[in-house]
Amino acid sequence: MIRPCHLTAASAIALLLAVAAPALSTPGLAQSIVFDPDNYAQNVVIAARELQQINNQITSLQNQAQMLINQARNLATLPYSSLQQLQSSIVRTQQLLAQAQNIAFNVQQIDHAFQTTYGGAGASQPSQTLVANAQVRWQNSVAALQDSLRVQAGVVGNLDTNRTQMSALVTSSQAATGGLQATQAGNQLLALEVQQLADLTAAVVAEGRAQSLLAAQQAAAQDQGREQLRRFLTPGAGYEPTTVTMFHP
């Protein structure tokens, strides 16, 4: 780093005396030189002022150089990025949700299922249809519970990745050399928090789906039970004898 050289008026006078000393010590020249103190003082002041201006320029250049260094640090990008890892975690959770069995997270599929399989047990429906619908509802509940557990397992699997990313981002934030790096580290920490909230939302949604299908299964089973009981208690046409041939002649 350049250090400014400060030269006072006394130093300038000493320098001029050192230069003029040989000439003053010579007998022949000493008689012909006329020393003008006022002119000499003016020259010293002018020289001191010029040196001070040079020092000021050097200081200004140093300040500008430091300002450029600070700007370069503020504009330096963060060398670490967790974007790919966070995107991979979100994609894994999305894939688990997309693999929902039987009744997916789709409004049209849900409406269709509750109009048919989970609909009321009508008097005109055959007993085989009632039994088949009950079997489908049970399968849907079991599949939803499995889906919920798979999503929860995926979220737990992302915890180790999140821990690694958080540690790396905190380290990068503490080692940031400028405002831009600190901001980028903060943004990535916010992105990590959003990814964790997305995992939590997915787990809650999957669990809620499983519980809703269980409740719907129980409600449909109660309705179907009432219909089957009604059919059992309704008197039939009674026994009518018919001719049966046991052996052919």
Side-chain angles (χ1 to χ4, degrees):
M1 181 179 294
I2 303 174
R3 300 289 183 182
C5 299
H6 299 283
L7 187 60
T8 61
S11 300
I13 294 174
L15 178 63
L16 291 176
L17 288 176
V19 173
L24 294 175
S25 60
T26 304
L29 295 176
Q31 297 177 357
S32 60
I33 294 176
V34 178
F35 178 74
D36 188 354
D38 294 335
N39 187 31
Y40 178 78
Q42 292 179 357
N43 292 334
V44 170
V45 171
I46 293 174
R49 289 176 179 176
E50 291 179 351
L51 289 175
Q52 186 62 40
Q53 291 179 356
I54 293 175
N55 290 335
N56 293 338
Q57 292 176 356
I58 293 175
T59 302
S60 177
L61 290 175
Q62 288 178 335
N63 293 334
Q64 292 179 2
Q66 186 63 41
M67 182 180 64
L68 292 176
I69 293 174
N70 294 335
Q71 289 179 353
R73 290 177 177 176
N74 288 330
L75 295 177
T77 59
L78 193 68
Y80 180 80
S81 175
S82 63
L83 179 60
Q84 184 176 0
Q85 289 79 3
L86 295 179
Q87 287 179 337
S88 298
S89 298
I90 292 177
V91 168
R92 285 194 296 268
T93 303
Q94 288 178 333
Q95 289 175 348
L96 291 173
L97 292 175
Q99 294 171 2
Q101 305 173 71
N102 301 341
I103 301 178
F105 294 96
N106 183 279
V107 176
Q108 295 179 351
Q109 290 187 13
I110 294 173
D111 291 341
H112 178 72
F114 275 79
Q115 290 172 1
T116 56
T117 307
Y118 292 87
S124 60
Q125 289 181 324
S127 298
Q128 293 180 351
T129 302
L130 296 179
V131 173
N133 288 340
Q135 180 71 16
V136 171
R137 291 193 295 268
W138 176 80
Q139 292 175 351
N140 291 341
S141 298
V142 173
L145 290 173
Q146 182 183 8
D147 293 337
S148 177
L149 292 175
R150 294 178 73 245
V151 172
Q152 293 174 16
V155 171
V156 172
N158 288 337
L159 291 179
D160 187 62
T161 302
N162 294 340
R163 179 188 59 79
T164 303
Q165 298 306 316
M166 181 177 296
S167 176
L169 288 173
V170 170
T171 302
S172 300
S173 177
Q174 293 175 345
T177 59
L180 181 59
Q181 288 189 359
T183 301
Q184 289 179 340
N187 291 338
Q188 292 189 49
L189 285 171
L190 290 176
L192 175 60
E193 182 179 356
V194 170
Q195 185 268 324
Q196 292 175 332
L197 290 175
D199 277 354
L200 178 60
T201 302
V204 171
V205 167
E207 177 65 18
R209 170 176 175 265
Q211 296 301 324
S212 297
L213 288 178
L214 280 175
Q217 178 192 358
Q218 294 174 359
Q222 292 176 357
D223 182 68
Q224 180 176 331
R226 285 193 297 266
E227 174 59 24
Q228 290 178 331
L229 179 61
R230 185 194 65 81
R231 294 183 184 186
F232 177 77
L233 297 177
T234 299
Y239 174 75
E240 295 182 0
T242 58
T243 303
V244 177
T245 303
M246 299 296 294
F247 302 99
H248 292 281

